[in-house]
């Protein structure tokens, strides 16, 4: 009977060791060995899938400095309205030579919120006011660059309110009332950009 128990114990121990080797040690050894091979390195260095993009209309100061000119640019696709709004504003804030931006350099997007009513709240860094050169026309251009970039490209957004560091502001430079969300205004857009 003892020899039978000893034989059974030996089989159980052998099965446990074999299972450990087969399911734990061997896969670890194999993955460590293939991680250094050129094929594994090529797979790791392979570029990721291309980012889906959309064409959006962004706005820049026209050559004569007296209007905003619409410019078509590729921007990353966003799954939701808020994500798409974020991508559009980030593209609008990015330099796009030779176009001249109405938004001061260095302004960062903090966040974008979109309500069910279609109001978007664009939270920008304090540089939007601190670095703004002033003047009523340039302030109008700055505000409507942001408002129109969202309302022209996203039908779900009907009005935009600009926030600075998460707070409502009266104006950016003393001329345009920002205490309430603003609707699209194409009054300052030049339609012939030849």
């Amino acid at each position: 009977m003892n020899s039978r128990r000893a034989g059974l114990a030996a089989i159980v121990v052998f099965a446990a060791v074999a299972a450990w080797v087969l399911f734990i040690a061997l896969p670890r050894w194999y993955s460590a060995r293939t991680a250094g091979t050129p094929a594994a390195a090529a797979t790791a260095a392979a570029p990721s899938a291309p980012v889906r993009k959309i064409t959006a209309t962004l706005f820049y100061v026209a050559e004569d400095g007296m209007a905003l000119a619409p410019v078509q640019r590729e921007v990353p696709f966003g799954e939701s309205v808020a994500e798409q709004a974020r991508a559009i504003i980030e593209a609008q804030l990015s330099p796009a030579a030779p176009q001249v931006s109405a938004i001061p350099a260095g302004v960062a997007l903090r966040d974008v919120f979109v309500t069910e009513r279609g109001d978007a709240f664009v939270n920008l860094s304090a540089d939007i006011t601190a670095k703004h050169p002033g003047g009523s026309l340039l302030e109008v251009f700055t505000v409507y660059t942001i408002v129109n970039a969202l309302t022209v490209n996203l039908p779900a957004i009907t009005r935009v309110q600009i926030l600075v560091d998460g707070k409502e502001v009266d104006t950016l430079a003393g001329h345009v009332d920002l205490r309430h969300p603003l609707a699209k205004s194409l009054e300052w857009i030049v339609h012939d950009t030849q």
Side-chain angles (χ1 to χ4, degrees):
M1 182 93 166
N2 274 344
S3 65
R4 195 171 191 192
R5 279 190 184 176
L8 186 58
I11 290 174
V12 169
V13 169
F14 176 76
V17 169
W20 180 82
V21 167
L22 196 60
F23 296 110
I24 297 174
L26 200 58
R28 284 184 185 168
W29 173 79
Y30 182 74
S31 66
R33 187 169 165 243
T34 59
T37 64
T43 303
S48 60
V51 175
R52 185 173 170 195
K53 297 193 178 245
I54 65 161
T55 301
T57 302
L58 303 181
F59 298 91
Y60 298 94
V61 178
E63 285 184 28
D64 66 1
M66 301 304 294
L68 290 173
V71 175
Q72 300 292 307
R73 279 190 51 198
E74 296 291 314
V75 300
F77 173 77
E79 293 292 331
S80 68
V81 173
E83 288 173 6
Q84 191 62 67
R86 173 180 278 284
I88 289 169
I89 294 298
E90 285 174 345
Q92 187 70 71
L93 294 175
S94 301
Q99 281 82 26
V100 176
S101 180
I103 301 170
V107 173
L109 176 63
R110 301 276 190 237
D111 211 345
V112 176
F113 304 95
V114 180
T115 69
E116 290 179 9
R117 291 185 321 180
D119 291 342
F121 293 85
V122 178
N123 185 12
L124 301 170
S125 66
D127 290 334
I128 191 79
T129 56
K131 292 184 177 180
H132 200 281
S136 58
L137 187 60
L138 191 52
E139 185 177 355
V140 166
F141 290 170
T142 302
V143 168
Y144 283 100
T145 290
I146 295 165
V147 171
N148 289 341
L150 293 181
T151 56
V152 165
N153 291 295
L154 299 170
I157 296 177
T158 56
R159 300 184 313 164
V160 177
Q161 184 162 4
I162 297 171
L163 306 175
V164 178
D165 279 342
K167 298 180 181 120
E168 290 183 10
V169 292
D170 292 341
T171 68
L172 295 181
H175 304 285
V176 180
D177 185 358
L178 298 179
R179 293 176 292 176
H180 306 285
L182 300 171
K184 167 176 41 182
S185 175
L186 302 179
E187 175 184 352
W188 301 101
I189 308 300
V190 63
H191 297 285
D192 183 25
T193 59
Q194 294 179 10

